[in-house]
Amino acid sequence: MSANALSDLIMLPEIHKQIENSPNGALHKPQVEHNDGILKEKTKSVCPLVETAPNGNGTEAATVEVEYIESENLEDVEDLNTSLEILIGELESKDWIVVCEALNNVRRFALFHEELLCDMLGDVVSLVVKSLKNPRSAVCKTAVMTSADIFKAYNDRIIDSLDPLLIQLLLKSSQDKRFVCEAAEKTLIAMTTWVSPVLLLPKLQTYLKHKNPRIRAKASMCFCRCVLRLGFDGVETYGIDKLIHIAASQLSDQLPESREAARTLLLELQTVYEKSQISSAAIISENQDKNSWEKFCQSNLSPLSAQSVLRVTGVAREGLASCP
């Protein structure tokens, strides 16, 4: 074994520790992964991923580079027809370098030629999901970034293929590898931005009762963002009585992210309800308006849940009123 290779192996635990302690998952120092060679990852504007693998006699090394490219830095596909023909085969490849490049090509098609993937979108998404499950972080993160571009390009057309993609993104956004987690959180925001909230809410509601509290928390945050996008008319159409039950149940959840999302959601529901009463001229005075919300909560929730909801919305409103 060469002196350089021995040095890399000795430093492996320390390098992994430095990466885990990085504030935003950026790899300020090389990451070395011992897996059929040595994987080094460094942070630049496009986050190049470098793998060094020994050749047949183990005395020299070959270096291959794969980049984490932000969407705005992606260029168009070079050979359009050929790239499209081999896309599925490359996504199915056992060579992780080939898979990463194929995922970036999916992103290029989504950004520059979205209509060309429409007929094969279901197959493409299934293979993106497969890459999200890949234990190699480079493949996983590239698949996460690909998902964000798919949401932006295809909007509601993704809904029939969403379920397996959604659970993987919720899992990745709640795991310990921070640089993957942060990318997944951005992709979930892209999902709630580009896909219709009416279509997303029933999908997300399933995960509000998931046994994993981290998944519940991420789903709660997505659910809240979707409701905020519904607006006044959308909330009334979807059913404020249905939504208040969901929000009230999240108030007692294990993680603070779930509880905070529930509080934000309840304030939105209170605002919508009070505006609806004012617009119908059913309530005029401020005091009657507050009582109306109280009566609505008490008539739709159990006494304990109603008390919790009124405590949250009342305290929040008092805090807002006291702000300069």
Side-chain angles (χ1 to χ4, degrees):
M1 179 181 295
S2 69
N4 288 340
L6 179 60
S7 175
D8 282 342
L9 291 177
I10 292 172
M11 291 297 294
L12 179 59
E14 180 62 27
I15 292 172
H16 276 295
K17 182 177 179 182
Q18 292 171 0
I19 293 168
E20 291 172 357
N21 292 333
S22 175
N24 59 3
L27 309 185
H28 300 291
K29 296 186 178 181
Q31 176 186 6
V32 182
E33 176 185 320
H34 185 63
N35 184 2
D36 299 327
I38 300 173
L39 171 67
K40 296 181 180 179
E41 187 168 353
K42 300 178 181 178
T43 296
K44 293 182 182 177
S45 60
V46 291
C47 301
L49 180 80
V50 181
E51 176 167 295
T52 305
N55 64 8
N57 58 26
T59 59
E60 296 180 358
T63 299
V64 180
E65 183 172 303
V66 175
E67 297 175 336
Y68 296 142
I69 310 173
E70 297 298 328
S71 299
E72 57 270 21
N73 295 326
L74 280 168
E75 297 179 354
D76 199 353
V77 182
E78 292 184 1
D79 189 336
L80 188 62
N81 293 330
T82 301
S83 296
L84 185 63
E85 288 175 3
I86 65 176
L87 182 62
I88 296 297
E90 289 188 333
L91 288 171
E92 294 175 332
S93 175
K94 294 182 180 179
D95 186 333
W96 71 274
I97 299 291
V98 173
V99 173
C100 285
E101 183 57 31
L103 288 168
N104 280 329
N105 278 339
V106 171
R107 301 174 66 199
R108 293 182 178 100
F109 278 113
L111 292 173
F112 299 106
H113 309 282
E114 65 178 81
E115 71 285 351
L116 295 181
L117 289 187
C118 286
D119 292 338
M120 53 196 296
L121 187 59
D123 293 334
V124 169
V125 171
S126 295
L127 291 169
V128 171
V129 171
K130 180 181 178 182
S131 294
L132 286 169
K133 298 177 183 179
N134 194 297
R136 191 180 287 274
S137 297
V139 177
C140 181
K141 180 173 178 178
T142 306
V144 169
M145 298 172 75
T146 303
S147 302
D149 289 326
I150 287 175
F151 289 135
K152 184 175 181 179
Y154 296 100
N155 313 130
D156 293 354
R157 288 174 285 179
I158 194 67
I159 201 69
D160 291 335
S161 306
L162 182 63
D163 289 325
L165 186 60
L166 175 56
I167 182 58
Q168 288 302 315
L169 291 172
L170 291 171
L171 283 167
K172 299 307 174 185
S173 69
S174 59
Q175 68 175 24
D176 294 329
K177 289 185 178 180
R178 187 170 300 175
F179 73 106
V180 174
C181 173
E182 290 178 348
E185 287 179 340
K186 291 179 181 179
T187 298
L188 288 172
I189 292 173
M191 179 189 71
T192 55
T193 300
W194 296 104
V195 181
S196 169
V198 174
L199 297 176
L200 278 178
L201 286 172
K203 303 283 188 183
L204 291 166
Q205 190 173 346
T206 302
Y207 299 104
L208 296 179
K209 297 182 179 180
H210 198 277
K211 62 181 180 180
N212 186 328
R214 291 185 177 184
I215 289 180
R216 291 200 306 271
K218 300 302 181 182
S220 295
M221 295 165 69
C222 291
F223 193 91
C224 179
R225 287 197 297 268
C226 285
V227 173
L228 295 180
R229 282 190 62 209
L230 284 175
F232 180 86
D233 293 333
V235 168
E236 286 203 316
T237 300
Y238 194 85
I240 193 170
D241 52 342
K242 182 195 305 183
L243 291 171
I244 196 173
H245 276 282
I246 295 171
S249 68
Q250 297 298 301
L251 277 179
S252 58
D253 198 80
Q254 179 178 345
L255 292 182
E257 292 91 342
S258 294
R259 300 194 296 270
E260 182 60 31
R263 286 192 286 268
T264 301
L265 178 52
L266 285 167
L267 284 173
E268 176 69 9
L269 297 179
Q270 181 183 19
T271 298
V272 170
Y273 182 79
E274 292 175 350
K275 284 183 178 179
S276 70
Q277 297 303 302
I278 292 173
S279 63
S280 63
I283 296 176
I284 300 175
S285 74
E286 181 180 354
N287 187 55
Q288 288 174 321
D289 192 15
K290 291 180 179 179
N291 289 338
S292 175
W293 170 248
E294 180 179 354
K295 291 177 182 178
F296 174 76
C297 292
Q298 291 171 344
S299 63
N300 283 277
L301 301 169
S302 68
L304 186 59
S305 292
Q307 184 179 8
S308 298
V309 169
L310 290 170
R311 185 185 302 116
V312 166
T313 53
V315 168
R317 283 301 174 86
E318 290 172 6
L320 290 173
S322 64
C323 291

